Amino acid sequence: PIMSHEIMMLGTGNAFLPNGRNHSLALFNRKHLIDAPPTALISMRNHGISPADIETIFITHLHGDHIFGLPFILLERKYISDRENLRSLTIVAANGARERITQLCNAAYPNSLDTILEKINWISSDIGITNDGWEWERFPVFHDDEVDPFGYRFVNDDASFVHSGDSGPCERLYQEIEKSQLAIIEMGIPEWVPNNQHHKPSDIEAVAVKFSSVKFAVTHTYIDSKTSTETPITEANLPIHPSNVYHAEDGDIFTWKGNWDW
């Protein structure tokens, strides 16, 4: 039988929190997080995910909207959902991230998180495999070099997907997308912003047309949720995407049963 997998989009917004969106956060198979943004805990609460059930946190890079939720996740596990400190937690991140994350946790809650920080299984290698069989590879992408930007590719039997992290157009990211079935890709800024370290709508269109057999799920977006009735933060109207692109909303679930569907 074909194994079933799922990816839940716990958050889909960029750093500025467009209306109706928490910070970009993906959870796959209900136990592996990609990043830990400031809104991670409320995103998990909103969808019935216990922090104690998280086995792995994959860190794409060290900007605040991707790691500042870690102290709260760890605090919750220590005092509420895993008081006996029995559940294992692995954090996958680039070299040097452990020190900076530890500094962040100590700044947030001095001495309170020492025991849980000491028990974390820190992995800084570029490849690995989860307990439930997801082989992963971390690869460099084009973003602010000071925060160690990486994307990830995940493979489990026939299922595969890429998470771009924060990245502008770059060849290595596109090489990984070309050999995958699904790409979770950021679209952090509108066309008029003079910055090439994020994807813009025209970049999404170009890569989606180039790899027309790949499905794309847009996250880390600057555009308000389609459910919002508030005054737009930056913009409220979605661009017209190619047919293989889906602009994700908080709470969306992608399932794999021979292919990815949403």
Side-chain angles (χ1 to χ4, degrees), residues 46-79:
N46 286 344
H47 298 284
I49 305 298
S50 170
D53 291 336
I54 301 302
E55 295 181 2
T56 322
I57 302 176
F58 294 90
I59 302 298
T60 64
H61 66 292
L62 299 176
H63 272 145
D65 58 314
H66 294 260
I67 65 166
F68 277 17
L70 277 168
F72 302 101
I73 292 174
L74 298 182
L75 191 78
E76 197 279 352
R77 284 175 69 116
K78 178 175 179 179
Y79 290 108

Side-chain angles (χ1 to χ4, degrees), residues 126-172:
D126 294 332
I127 59 173
I129 186 169
T130 65
N131 290 335
D132 55 344
W134 284 97
E135 298 179 29
W136 55 266
E137 179 178 5
R138 185 175 64 237
F139 54 89
V141 294
F142 181 62
H143 196 54
D144 182 353
D145 287 339
E146 292 188 11
V147 293
D148 295 332
F150 289 89
Y152 287 86
R153 182 170 187 261
F154 301 92
V155 179
N156 191 327
D157 292 327
D158 293 331
S160 63
F161 72 96
V162 167
H163 194 293
S164 70
D166 279 9
S167 175
C170 71
E171 187 59 33
R172 179 62 190 275

Side-chain angles (χ1 to χ4, degrees), residues 4-8 27-30 253-256 260:
S4 177
H5 302 292
E6 73 166 37
I7 304 169
M8 181 182 291
L27 171 74
F28 62 100
N29 284 23
R30 299 185 73 86
I253 296 176
F254 310 142
T255 57
W256 189 92
W260 290 105

Side-chain angles (χ1 to χ4, degrees), residues 102-115:
T102 299
Q103 290 173 348
L104 171 66
C105 291
N106 287 335
Y109 299 105
N111 304 316
S112 294
L113 301 177
D114 291 351
T115 54

Side-chain angles (χ1 to χ4, degrees), residues 68-259:
F68 277 17
L70 277 168
F72 302 101
I73 292 174
L74 298 182
L75 191 78
E76 197 279 352
R77 284 175 69 116
K78 178 175 179 179
Y79 290 108
I80 297 180
S81 61
D82 185 26
R83 294 176 182 172
E84 303 301 319
N85 200 16
L86 299 177
R87 309 292 288 272
S88 63
L89 176 63
T90 296
I91 294 182
V92 178
N95 283 323
R98 175 177 181 174
E99 180 181 357
R100 292 172 70 173
I101 289 170
T102 299
Q103 290 173 348
L104 171 66
C105 291
N106 287 335
Y109 299 105
N111 304 316
S112 294
L113 301 177
D114 291 351
T115 54
I116 192 169
L117 284 167
E118 290 168 1
K119 191 180 176 183
I120 290 172
N121 176 33
W122 298 89
I123 295 180
S124 59
S125 58
D126 294 332
I127 59 173
I129 186 169
T130 65
N131 290 335
D132 55 344
W134 284 97
E135 298 179 29
W136 55 266
E137 179 178 5
R138 185 175 64 237
F139 54 89
V141 294
F142 181 62
H143 196 54
D144 182 353
D145 287 339
E146 292 188 11
V147 293
D148 295 332
F150 289 89
Y152 287 86
R153 182 170 187 261
F154 301 92
V155 179
N156 191 327
D157 292 327
D158 293 331
S160 63
F161 72 96
V162 167
H163 194 293
S164 70
D166 279 9
S167 175
C170 71
E171 187 59 33
R172 179 62 190 275
L173 172 60
Y174 293 171
Q175 288 172 359
E176 300 300 325
I177 288 174
E178 184 176 15
K179 57 188 181 183
S180 303
Q181 300 155 337
L182 170 68
I184 300 172
I185 190 165
E186 64 102 347
M187 193 186 78
I189 53 177
E191 290 292 335
W192 51 267
V193 175
N195 183 306
N196 61 355
Q197 294 186 357
H198 288 282
H199 282 81
K200 302 176 181 182
S202 61
D203 299 319
I204 297 296
E205 179 175 1
V207 68
V209 168
K210 183 175 183 180
F211 303 117
S212 59
S213 64
V214 178
K215 292 183 177 180
F216 290 81
V218 172
T219 189
H220 200 273
T221 180
Y222 64 91
I223 300 175
D224 287 0
S225 168
K226 62 186 178 184
T227 64
S228 173
T229 58
E230 303 296 326
T231 302
I233 301 299
T234 300
E235 193 170 319
N237 297 317
L238 297 179
I240 299 174
H241 292 302
S243 60
N244 57 326
V245 176
Y246 175 74
H247 209 108
E249 296 277 336
D250 289 19
D252 282 343
I253 296 176
F254 310 142
T255 57
W256 189 92
K257 293 181 179 179
N259 53 48

